[in-house]
PDB file of all heavy atoms in Angstrom:
ATOM      1  N   LEU A 268       5.170  17.702  -3.027  1.00 95.00           N
ATOM      2  CA  LEU A 268       6.411  17.799  -3.797  1.00 95.00           C
ATOM      3  C   LEU A 268       7.509  18.462  -2.979  1.00 95.00           C
ATOM      4  O   LEU A 268       8.685  18.119  -3.088  1.00 95.00           O
ATOM      5  CB  LEU A 268       6.177  18.614  -5.075  1.00 95.00           C
ATOM      6  CG  LEU A 268       5.129  18.096  -6.060  1.00 95.00           C
ATOM      7  CD1 LEU A 268       5.106  18.955  -7.316  1.00 95.00           C
ATOM      8  CD2 LEU A 268       5.384  16.646  -6.418  1.00 95.00           C
ATOM      9  N   GLN A 269       7.124  19.405  -2.150  1.00 94.00           N
ATOM     10  CA  GLN A 269       8.100  20.082  -1.298  1.00 94.00           C
ATOM     11  C   GLN A 269       8.674  19.144  -0.250  1.00 94.00           C
ATOM     12  O   GLN A 269       9.868  19.214   0.073  1.00 94.00           O
ATOM     13  CB  GLN A 269       7.434  21.280  -0.614  1.00 94.00           C
ATOM     14  CG  GLN A 269       8.325  22.038   0.361  1.00 94.00           C
ATOM     15  CD  GLN A 269       7.591  23.205   0.990  1.00 94.00           C
ATOM     16  OE1 GLN A 269       6.958  23.994   0.299  1.00 94.00           O
ATOM     17  NE2 GLN A 269       7.670  23.318   2.305  1.00 94.00           N
ATOM     18  N   HIS A 271       8.857  15.711  -0.231  1.00 96.00           N
ATOM     19  CA  HIS A 271       9.336  14.385  -0.635  1.00 96.00           C
ATOM     20  C   HIS A 271      10.276  14.493  -1.830  1.00 96.00           C
ATOM     21  O   HIS A 271      10.096  15.361  -2.693  1.00 96.00           O
ATOM     22  CB  HIS A 271       8.169  13.467  -1.022  1.00 96.00           C
ATOM     23  CG  HIS A 271       7.206  13.219   0.099  1.00 96.00           C
ATOM     24  ND1 HIS A 271       6.226  14.128   0.449  1.00 96.00           N
ATOM     25  CD2 HIS A 271       7.064  12.166   0.937  1.00 96.00           C
ATOM     26  CE1 HIS A 271       5.521  13.632   1.469  1.00 96.00           C
ATOM     27  NE2 HIS A 271       6.006  12.449   1.777  1.00 96.00           N
ATOM     28  N   LEU A 272      11.250  13.622  -1.883  1.00 96.00           N
ATOM     29  CA  LEU A 272      12.033  13.475  -3.109  1.00 96.00           C
ATOM     30  C   LEU A 272      11.371  12.390  -3.943  1.00 96.00           C
ATOM     31  O   LEU A 272      11.159  11.271  -3.474  1.00 96.00           O
ATOM     32  CB  LEU A 272      13.482  13.098  -2.820  1.00 96.00           C
ATOM     33  CG  LEU A 272      14.347  13.079  -4.084  1.00 96.00           C
ATOM     34  CD1 LEU A 272      15.658  13.810  -3.864  1.00 96.00           C
ATOM     35  CD2 LEU A 272      14.618  11.661  -4.550  1.00 96.00           C
ATOM     36  N   ALA A 300      17.411  11.070   1.489  1.00 95.00           N
ATOM     37  CA  ALA A 300      17.669  12.250   0.664  1.00 95.00           C
ATOM     38  C   ALA A 300      17.834  13.475   1.551  1.00 95.00           C
ATOM     39  O   ALA A 300      17.291  13.538   2.665  1.00 95.00           O
ATOM     40  CB  ALA A 300      16.522  12.469  -0.323  1.00 95.00           C
ATOM     41  N   PHE A 301      18.578  14.444   1.026  1.00 94.00           N
ATOM     42  CA  PHE A 301      18.804  15.702   1.751  1.00 94.00           C
ATOM     43  C   PHE A 301      18.535  16.854   0.804  1.00 94.00           C
ATOM     44  O   PHE A 301      18.969  16.837  -0.355  1.00 94.00           O
ATOM     45  CB  PHE A 301      20.240  15.778   2.278  1.00 94.00           C
ATOM     46  CG  PHE A 301      20.494  16.965   3.155  1.00 94.00           C
ATOM     47  CD1 PHE A 301      20.095  16.940   4.482  1.00 94.00           C
ATOM     48  CD2 PHE A 301      21.132  18.095   2.666  1.00 94.00           C
ATOM     49  CE1 PHE A 301      20.315  18.044   5.309  1.00 94.00           C
ATOM     50  CE2 PHE A 301      21.355  19.199   3.477  1.00 94.00           C
ATOM     51  CZ  PHE A 301      20.960  19.175   4.807  1.00 94.00           C
ATOM     52  N   ASP A 302      17.798  17.861   1.290  1.00 93.00           N
ATOM     53  CA  ASP A 302      17.469  19.044   0.488  1.00 93.00           C
ATOM     54  C   ASP A 302      18.430  20.163   0.869  1.00 93.00           C
ATOM     55  O   ASP A 302      18.465  20.602   2.025  1.00 93.00           O
ATOM     56  CB  ASP A 302      16.021  19.463   0.755  1.00 93.00           C
ATOM     57  CG  ASP A 302      15.571  20.589  -0.164  1.00 93.00           C
ATOM     58  OD1 ASP A 302      16.130  21.701  -0.047  1.00 93.00           O
ATOM     59  OD2 ASP A 302      14.667  20.371  -0.994  1.00 93.00           O
ATOM     60  N   THR A 303      19.199  20.643  -0.111  1.00 89.00           N
ATOM     61  CA  THR A 303      20.215  21.654   0.186  1.00 89.00           C
ATOM     62  C   THR A 303      19.606  23.043   0.399  1.00 89.00           C
ATOM     63  O   THR A 303      20.216  23.879   1.063  1.00 89.00           O
ATOM     64  CB  THR A 303      21.251  21.737  -0.951  1.00 89.00           C
ATOM     65  OG1 THR A 303      20.587  21.979  -2.193  1.00 89.00           O
ATOM     66  CG2 THR A 303      22.034  20.439  -1.058  1.00 89.00           C
ATOM     67  N   GLN A 304      18.417  23.303  -0.163  1.00 88.00           N
ATOM     68  CA  GLN A 304      17.778  24.600   0.055  1.00 88.00           C
ATOM     69  C   GLN A 304      17.123  24.680   1.422  1.00 88.00           C
ATOM     70  O   GLN A 304      17.263  25.659   2.141  1.00 88.00           O
ATOM     71  CB  GLN A 304      16.734  24.859  -1.031  1.00 88.00           C
ATOM     72  CG  GLN A 304      17.323  25.144  -2.407  1.00 88.00           C
ATOM     73  CD  GLN A 304      16.258  25.547  -3.412  1.00 88.00           C
ATOM     74  OE1 GLN A 304      15.108  25.131  -3.313  1.00 88.00           O
ATOM     75  NE2 GLN A 304      16.639  26.351  -4.382  1.00 88.00           N
ATOM     76  N   GLN A 305      16.392  23.609   1.774  1.00 87.00           N
ATOM     77  CA  GLN A 305      15.688  23.605   3.051  1.00 87.00           C
ATOM     78  C   GLN A 305      16.556  23.118   4.203  1.00 87.00           C
ATOM     79  O   GLN A 305      16.175  23.238   5.359  1.00 87.00           O
ATOM     80  CB  GLN A 305      14.437  22.718   2.957  1.00 87.00           C
ATOM     81  CG  GLN A 305      13.458  23.137   1.878  1.00 87.00           C
ATOM     82  CD  GLN A 305      12.265  22.201   1.809  1.00 87.00           C
ATOM     83  OE1 GLN A 305      11.516  22.060   2.767  1.00 87.00           O
ATOM     84  NE2 GLN A 305      12.081  21.551   0.670  1.00 87.00           N
ATOM     85  N   GLN A 306      17.713  22.549   3.858  1.00 91.00           N
ATOM     86  CA  GLN A 306      18.640  22.018   4.869  1.00 91.00           C
ATOM     87  C   GLN A 306      17.938  21.019   5.793  1.00 91.00           C
ATOM     88  O   GLN A 306      17.949  21.133   7.017  1.00 91.00           O
ATOM     89  CB  GLN A 306      19.257  23.155   5.690  1.00 91.00           C
ATOM     90  CG  GLN A 306      20.261  23.999   4.912  1.00 91.00           C
ATOM     91  CD  GLN A 306      21.527  23.203   4.552  1.00 91.00           C
ATOM     92  OE1 GLN A 306      22.243  22.715   5.427  1.00 91.00           O
ATOM     93  NE2 GLN A 306      21.791  23.059   3.257  1.00 91.00           N
ATOM     94  N   ARG A 307      17.308  20.018   5.164  1.00 93.00           N
ATOM     95  CA  ARG A 307      16.638  18.979   5.951  1.00 93.00           C
ATOM     96  C   ARG A 307      16.589  17.679   5.167  1.00 93.00           C
ATOM     97  O   ARG A 307      16.720  17.660   3.937  1.00 93.00           O
ATOM     98  CB  ARG A 307      15.233  19.415   6.352  1.00 93.00           C
ATOM     99  CG  ARG A 307      14.266  19.597   5.180  1.00 93.00           C
ATOM    100  CD  ARG A 307      12.886  19.975   5.672  1.00 93.00           C
ATOM    101  NE  ARG A 307      11.960  20.261   4.605  1.00 93.00           N
ATOM    102  CZ  ARG A 307      10.788  19.645   4.444  1.00 93.00           C
ATOM    103  NH1 ARG A 307      10.430  18.685   5.277  1.00 93.00           N
ATOM    104  NH2 ARG A 307       9.979  19.986   3.459  1.00 93.00           N
ATOM    105  N   PHE A 308      16.375  16.593   5.894  1.00 94.00           N
ATOM    106  CA  PHE A 308      16.241  15.284   5.271  1.00 94.00           C
ATOM    107  C   PHE A 308      14.826  15.116   4.727  1.00 94.00           C
ATOM    108  O   PHE A 308      13.867  15.700   5.245  1.00 94.00           O
ATOM    109  CB  PHE A 308      16.558  14.183   6.285  1.00 94.00           C
ATOM    110  CG  PHE A 308      18.012  14.109   6.631  1.00 94.00           C
ATOM    111  CD1 PHE A 308      18.508  14.780   7.745  1.00 94.00           C
ATOM    112  CD2 PHE A 308      18.898  13.387   5.838  1.00 94.00           C
ATOM    113  CE1 PHE A 308      19.850  14.728   8.066  1.00 94.00           C
ATOM    114  CE2 PHE A 308      20.244  13.326   6.145  1.00 94.00           C
ATOM    115  CZ  PHE A 308      20.726  14.004   7.254  1.00 94.00           C
ATOM    116  N   LEU A 309      14.724  14.297   3.668  1.00 95.00           N
ATOM    117  CA  LEU A 309      13.436  14.077   3.009  1.00 95.00           C
ATOM    118  C   LEU A 309      13.172  12.586   2.854  1.00 95.00           C
ATOM    119  O   LEU A 309      14.098  11.820   2.565  1.00 95.00           O
ATOM    120  CB  LEU A 309      13.444  14.695   1.604  1.00 95.00           C
ATOM    121  CG  LEU A 309      13.677  16.189   1.464  1.00 95.00           C
ATOM    122  CD1 LEU A 309      13.946  16.527   0.000  1.00 95.00           C
ATOM    123  CD2 LEU A 309      12.484  16.972   1.989  1.00 95.00           C
ATOM    124  N   GLN A 437      11.716  19.704 -10.398  1.00 93.00           N
ATOM    125  CA  GLN A 437      12.597  19.357  -9.288  1.00 93.00           C
ATOM    126  C   GLN A 437      13.877  18.764  -9.844  1.00 93.00           C
ATOM    127  O   GLN A 437      13.858  18.121 -10.901  1.00 93.00           O
ATOM    128  CB  GLN A 437      11.939  18.347  -8.355  1.00 93.00           C
ATOM    129  CG  GLN A 437      10.661  18.829  -7.713  1.00 93.00           C
ATOM    130  CD  GLN A 437      10.271  17.984  -6.517  1.00 93.00           C
ATOM    131  OE1 GLN A 437      11.070  17.192  -6.026  1.00 93.00           O
ATOM    132  NE2 GLN A 437       9.060  18.155  -6.041  1.00 93.00           N
ATOM    133  N   PHE A 452      28.167  13.633   1.346  1.00 88.00           N
ATOM    134  CA  PHE A 452      26.821  13.065   1.509  1.00 88.00           C
ATOM    135  C   PHE A 452      26.855  11.552   1.320  1.00 88.00           C
ATOM    136  O   PHE A 452      26.203  10.809   2.056  1.00 88.00           O
ATOM    137  CB  PHE A 452      25.856  13.695   0.499  1.00 88.00           C
ATOM    138  CG  PHE A 452      25.584  15.147   0.723  1.00 88.00           C
ATOM    139  CD1 PHE A 452      26.157  16.110  -0.099  1.00 88.00           C
ATOM    140  CD2 PHE A 452      24.757  15.566   1.758  1.00 88.00           C
ATOM    141  CE1 PHE A 452      25.904  17.452   0.098  1.00 88.00           C
ATOM    142  CE2 PHE A 452      24.495  16.913   1.963  1.00 88.00           C
ATOM    143  CZ  PHE A 452      25.082  17.855   1.132  1.00 88.00           C
ATOM    144  N   ILE A 457      23.770   9.157   2.576  1.00 92.00           N
ATOM    145  CA  ILE A 457      22.670   9.896   1.964  1.00 92.00           C
ATOM    146  C   ILE A 457      22.708   9.593   0.469  1.00 92.00           C
ATOM    147  O   ILE A 457      23.712   9.831  -0.197  1.00 92.00           O
ATOM    148  CB  ILE A 457      22.816  11.412   2.206  1.00 92.00           C
ATOM    149  CG1 ILE A 457      22.750  11.707   3.711  1.00 92.00           C
ATOM    150  CG2 ILE A 457      21.729  12.190   1.462  1.00 92.00           C
ATOM    151  CD1 ILE A 457      23.112  13.130   4.074  1.00 92.00           C
ATOM    152  N   TYR A 459      20.574  10.627  -2.129  1.00 93.00           N
ATOM    153  CA  TYR A 459      20.213  11.666  -3.096  1.00 93.00           C
ATOM    154  C   TYR A 459      20.333  13.037  -2.444  1.00 93.00           C
ATOM    155  O   TYR A 459      20.034  13.197  -1.253  1.00 93.00           O
ATOM    156  CB  TYR A 459      18.765  11.491  -3.588  1.00 93.00           C
ATOM    157  CG  TYR A 459      18.463  10.139  -4.166  1.00 93.00           C
ATOM    158  CD1 TYR A 459      17.689   9.217  -3.460  1.00 93.00           C
ATOM    159  CD2 TYR A 459      18.941   9.762  -5.419  1.00 93.00           C
ATOM    160  CE1 TYR A 459      17.407   7.968  -3.985  1.00 93.00           C
ATOM    161  CE2 TYR A 459      18.662   8.519  -5.952  1.00 93.00           C
ATOM    162  CZ  TYR A 459      17.902   7.623  -5.230  1.00 93.00           C
ATOM    163  OH  TYR A 459      17.623   6.383  -5.754  1.00 93.00           O
ATOM    164  N   VAL A 460      20.750  14.013  -3.243  1.00 92.00           N
ATOM    165  CA  VAL A 460      20.761  15.411  -2.796  1.00 92.00           C
ATOM    166  C   VAL A 460      19.860  16.203  -3.737  1.00 92.00           C
ATOM    167  O   VAL A 460      20.081  16.218  -4.954  1.00 92.00           O
ATOM    168  CB  VAL A 460      22.188  15.992  -2.808  1.00 92.00           C
ATOM    169  CG1 VAL A 460      22.144  17.491  -2.509  1.00 92.00           C
ATOM    170  CG2 VAL A 460      23.066  15.273  -1.795  1.00 92.00           C
ATOM    171  N   ARG A 461      18.835  16.834  -3.180  1.00 92.00           N
ATOM    172  CA  ARG A 461      17.940  17.646  -4.006  1.00 92.00           C
ATOM    173  C   ARG A 461      18.458  19.073  -4.043  1.00 92.00           C
ATOM    174  O   ARG A 461      18.699  19.688  -3.003  1.00 92.00           O
ATOM    175  CB  ARG A 461      16.509  17.612  -3.463  1.00 92.00           C
ATOM    176  CG  ARG A 461      15.530  18.313  -4.417  1.00 92.00           C
ATOM    177  CD  ARG A 461      14.092  18.018  -4.080  1.00 92.00           C
ATOM    178  NE  ARG A 461      13.667  18.671  -2.856  1.00 92.00           N
ATOM    179  CZ  ARG A 461      12.454  18.526  -2.316  1.00 92.00           C
ATOM    180  NH1 ARG A 461      11.580  17.722  -2.889  1.00 92.00           N
ATOM    181  NH2 ARG A 461      12.146  19.135  -1.196  1.00 92.00           N
ATOM    182  N   GLU A 462      18.602  19.590  -5.253  1.00 87.00           N
ATOM    183  CA  GLU A 462      19.155  20.929  -5.422  1.00 87.00           C
ATOM    184  C   GLU A 462      18.070  22.002  -5.440  1.00 87.00           C
ATOM    185  O   GLU A 462      18.274  23.106  -4.962  1.00 87.00           O
ATOM    186  CB  GLU A 462      19.981  20.991  -6.708  1.00 87.00           C
ATOM    187  CG  GLU A 462      21.182  20.069  -6.670  1.00 87.00           C
ATOM    188  CD  GLU A 462      22.054  20.207  -7.889  1.00 87.00           C
ATOM    189  OE1 GLU A 462      21.517  20.387  -8.992  1.00 87.00           O
ATOM    190  OE2 GLU A 462      23.287  20.134  -7.724  1.00 87.00           O
ATOM    191  N   TYR A 463      16.941  21.715  -6.044  1.00 84.00           N
ATOM    192  CA  TYR A 463      15.825  22.656  -5.974  1.00 84.00           C
ATOM    193  C   TYR A 463      14.521  21.890  -6.183  1.00 84.00           C
ATOM    194  O   TYR A 463      14.492  20.813  -6.766  1.00 84.00           O
ATOM    195  CB  TYR A 463      15.951  23.812  -6.970  1.00 84.00           C
ATOM    196  CG  TYR A 463      16.113  23.427  -8.418  1.00 84.00           C
ATOM    197  CD1 TYR A 463      15.016  23.081  -9.210  1.00 84.00           C
ATOM    198  CD2 TYR A 463      17.377  23.416  -9.015  1.00 84.00           C
ATOM    199  CE1 TYR A 463      15.163  22.741 -10.539  1.00 84.00           C
ATOM    200  CE2 TYR A 463      17.534  23.072 -10.355  1.00 84.00           C
ATOM    201  CZ  TYR A 463      16.426  22.744 -11.109  1.00 84.00           C
ATOM    202  OH  TYR A 463      16.577  22.401 -12.425  1.00 84.00           O
ATOM    203  N   GLN A 464      13.424  22.493  -5.692  1.00 82.00           N
ATOM    204  CA  GLN A 464      12.120  21.849  -5.778  1.00 82.00           C
ATOM    205  C   GLN A 464      11.044  22.892  -6.020  1.00 82.00           C
ATOM    206  O   GLN A 464      11.200  24.055  -5.664  1.00 82.00           O
ATOM    207  CB  GLN A 464      11.825  21.064  -4.493  1.00 82.00           C
ATOM    208  CG  GLN A 464      12.060  21.831  -3.203  1.00 82.00           C
ATOM    209  CD  GLN A 464      10.921  22.741  -2.791  1.00 82.00           C
ATOM    210  OE1 GLN A 464       9.801  22.530  -3.231  1.00 82.00           O
ATOM    211  NE2 GLN A 464      11.197  23.744  -1.993  1.00 82.00           N
TER     212      GLN A 464
END
Side-chain angles (χ1 to χ4, degrees):
L268 301 185
Q269 177 180 311
H271 299 80
L272 186 133
F301 186 80
D302 186 295
T303 55
Q304 289 186 330
Q305 302 178 61
Q306 289 293 300
R307 65 178 175 124
F308 289 94
L309 300 168
Q437 299 197 13
F452 293 105
I457 297 170
Y459 305 107
V460 173
R461 187 167 71 183
E462 297 184 322
Y463 56 81
Q464 49 82 21

